[in-house]
Amino acid sequence: MCSSDLTADLTAGVHAISATYSGGANYTGSASTGEIAVAQAPTTLELTGPTSSTYRETVTFTATISATTGDLDGTVSFSDGSDAIACDAAPTITGSGPTWTATCSTADLTAGVHAISATYSGGANYTGSASTGEIAVAQAPTTTTVTSAPNPSVYRETVTFTVTVDGT
């Protein structure tokens, strides 16, 4: 009896395998075929980012995807509840196994508490994964100024008051 080990980098899916022995001085040749099913590798995703901010302040969320080595395909999306976040630039997966990242920066979160999620779609060889977090966005400060014209004025003169509210 003779055996041989072979290591192959098979992608997810069903693969036909065949082996052929050409024979020798004392043995005839033979062949065999079979199938092997290769499942997608699992992934995990961790979402990190600030837990508090102020309205119109730019915040950056990072999705860190962990999986076995190889080429990670698919996409990462970020959402605020059920609404997609308009990231300053489209999230791009970068890095190499076993860790990849994608980021989303935005200044479009309104005041209030937001449930943020990052979702990796999965790909040909990897399963999808997701993670959630929360950020509390405070109202932005304002300044109010009042001016009058003419200033100074005299008794019984019409005066115009202008109120200006400036938000940062």
Side-chain angles (χ1 to χ4, degrees), residues 33-48:
T33 60
E35 284 187 348
I36 183 168
V38 178
Q40 288 178 306
T43 65
T44 58
L45 189 148
E46 179 185 11
L47 174 64
T48 56

Side-chain angles (χ1 to χ4, degrees), residues 18-72:
S18 63
T20 303
Y21 171 63
S22 61
N26 297 311
Y27 295 96
T28 63
S30 61
S32 180
T33 60
E35 284 187 348
I36 183 168
V38 178
Q40 288 178 306
T43 65
T44 58
L45 189 148
E46 179 185 11
L47 174 64
T48 56
T51 56
S52 63
S53 176
T54 302
Y55 177 67
R56 302 304 292 161
E57 179 182 10
T58 299
V59 294
T60 300
F61 301 105
T62 301
T64 302
I65 306 154
S66 298
T68 57
T69 60
D71 293 326
L72 191 72

Side-chain angles (χ1 to χ4, degrees), residues 115-135:
I116 305 298
S117 63
T119 303
Y120 167 59
S121 66
N125 296 309
Y126 295 95
T127 62
S129 52
S131 181
T132 60
E134 193 172 88
I135 183 170

Side-chain angles (χ1 to χ4, degrees), residues 103-152:
T103 60
C104 173
S105 296
T106 185
D108 292 340
L109 297 178
T110 58
V113 177
H114 299 267
I116 305 298
S117 63
T119 303
Y120 167 59
S121 66
N125 296 309
Y126 295 95
T127 62
S129 52
S131 181
T132 60
E134 193 172 88
I135 183 170
V137 179
Q139 293 176 312
T142 61
T143 52
T144 304
T145 56
V146 177
T147 57
S148 61
N151 187 4

